[in-house]
Amino acid sequence: MDICVLGPFKATQSGVSVTPTAVKPRKVLALLALQANQLVSVSSLVEEVWGEAPPRSVQTTLQTYILQLRTLIAAALGEECAGLPNGAKSVLITEPGGYLLDTQGGLFDMQEFEVLSSAGHRALEQGDWSAASAHLGRALALWKGRALVDVQRGPLLDVEATRLEESRMSVLHGRIEADLRLGRHHELIGELSGLAARYPLNEGIHGQLMVALYRAGRRGDALTTYRQLRTALGQNLGLDPSPGIEHLQRAVLGSSLLDLDVGMPSGRLAKVG
């Protein structure tokens, strides 16, 4: 089974969609997919679908949803079903206390994202900027929208989607850092300006935009970016910019921004918001 969660949710078996349109079975499959090849407990599925107020018939209803999913999988398998000892039950497996979705070695965009992200972060730590930019750029290209954008998420899916979005932002920061190290500041200004508008409280993005603008000879715009961030933090959070951002602003004022580590602990600016 192939699974996509980095954007619209898709699950395909033998090239045929097995993603239900009904809200609750869709949630069940999404949670099983996010924890593919691992046991998902009945209690976790109940919490995701019904929260703290499950119906009295919750066990029967959950079993009905599992049956519906297996029916979709069996139809997608077609003649291939004969090659599995238990048919669709070999893909969506009943285990003591829960269920397990066996992807049978299918593609999973989240796993591919994590592999590329790890390779990119290792390259960053080693100072291999070209490799870091390439790996992290490929990881970001897997995203087709916000994680599980078309699933009505319950508490567990919401946690997973938030984790994925945070990971996406970390990869984005890393890829931009690598590109700045490679001298691509002119090409980055448009992207960073859009990101700064979208994330007005994110210090990391604003710091990187300040660096790109300064490197491009736009010192005044870099200082304007700092003032906009300072205003947004003050109005929305009652905070001043972090010491790292303040250090970066002073470096821009003094035209002493000699390298990308100025004001960037461990090579990067801290993030807020």
Side-chain angles (χ1 to χ4, degrees):
M1 182 179 292
D2 296 336
I3 298 169
C4 296
V5 298
L6 305 181
F9 175 49
K10 297 178 184 178
T12 56
Q13 179 69 57
S14 306
V16 178
S17 174
V18 295
T19 314
T21 56
V23 171
K24 291 179 179 179
R26 193 178 184 88
K27 281 187 180 185
V28 170
L29 184 58
L31 189 59
L32 289 166
L34 275 174
Q35 300 183 46
N37 307 309
Q38 301 177 54
L39 176 68
V40 179
S41 68
V42 167
S43 61
S44 293
L45 290 164
V46 169
E47 180 183 357
E48 172 59 32
V49 177
W50 290 281
E52 298 180 356
R56 291 184 179 179
S57 61
V58 64
Q59 296 286 347
T60 301
T61 304
L62 179 58
Q63 289 170 1
T64 299
Y65 294 157
I66 295 295
L67 177 61
Q68 291 173 1
L69 294 173
R70 284 182 175 146
T71 300
L72 289 171
I73 293 168
L77 283 169
E79 294 181 359
E80 294 180 29
C81 202
L84 297 172
N86 297 308
K89 290 184 178 180
S90 295
V91 178
L92 181 44
I93 303 168
T94 300
E95 298 277 7
Y99 300 92
L100 181 150
L101 186 67
D102 186 343
T103 61
Q104 308 283 319
L107 300 175
F108 189 5
D109 62 352
M110 184 180 78
Q111 290 179 349
E112 186 178 356
F113 171 76
E114 290 172 345
V115 169
L116 289 167
S117 298
S118 295
H121 286 307
R122 284 196 301 272
L124 275 179
E125 292 170 359
Q126 295 164 3
D128 188 346
W129 314 125
S130 293
S133 177
H135 287 309
L136 298 176
R138 286 172 57 200
L140 292 168
L142 294 170
W143 287 74
K144 310 303 180 187
R146 295 186 68 83
L148 297 171
V149 66
D150 57 351
V151 177
Q152 292 186 20
R153 304 193 302 262
L156 302 184
L157 286 178
D158 204 43
V159 167
E160 286 298 311
T162 299
R163 178 187 68 80
L164 285 169
E165 291 292 342
E166 288 293 328
S167 182
R168 181 188 190 182
M169 288 300 296
S170 175
V171 169
L172 179 61
H173 279 294
R175 197 225 81 216
I176 291 171
E177 178 182 338
D179 286 344
L180 283 170
R181 298 279 187 172
L182 291 167
R184 297 171 180 168
H185 37 270
H186 287 285
E187 299 96 313
L188 288 169
I189 289 173
E191 178 185 7
L192 282 166
S193 296
L195 288 168
R198 183 177 178 184
Y199 302 105
L201 305 179
N202 189 302
E203 289 195 334
I205 286 172
H206 283 76
Q208 289 176 324
L209 178 56
M210 289 172 67
V211 170
L213 289 166
Y214 179 87
R215 296 293 190 206
R218 296 170 57 178
R219 184 172 166 229
D221 290 336
L223 293 171
T224 297
T225 297
Y226 164 80
R227 289 193 292 271
Q228 290 171 342
L229 172 64
R230 184 181 184 87
T231 298
L233 288 172
Q235 291 179 346
N236 290 278
L237 301 176
L239 296 175
D240 291 326
S242 68
I245 285 286
E246 296 284 9
H247 190 181
L248 184 58
Q249 183 250 3
R250 289 194 296 273
V252 172
L253 278 172
S255 298
S256 58
L257 190 56
L258 300 179
D259 58 64
L260 293 177
D261 286 329
V262 173
M264 298 186 184
S266 301
R268 268 175 251 172
L269 280 161
K271 175 173 73 69
V272 174

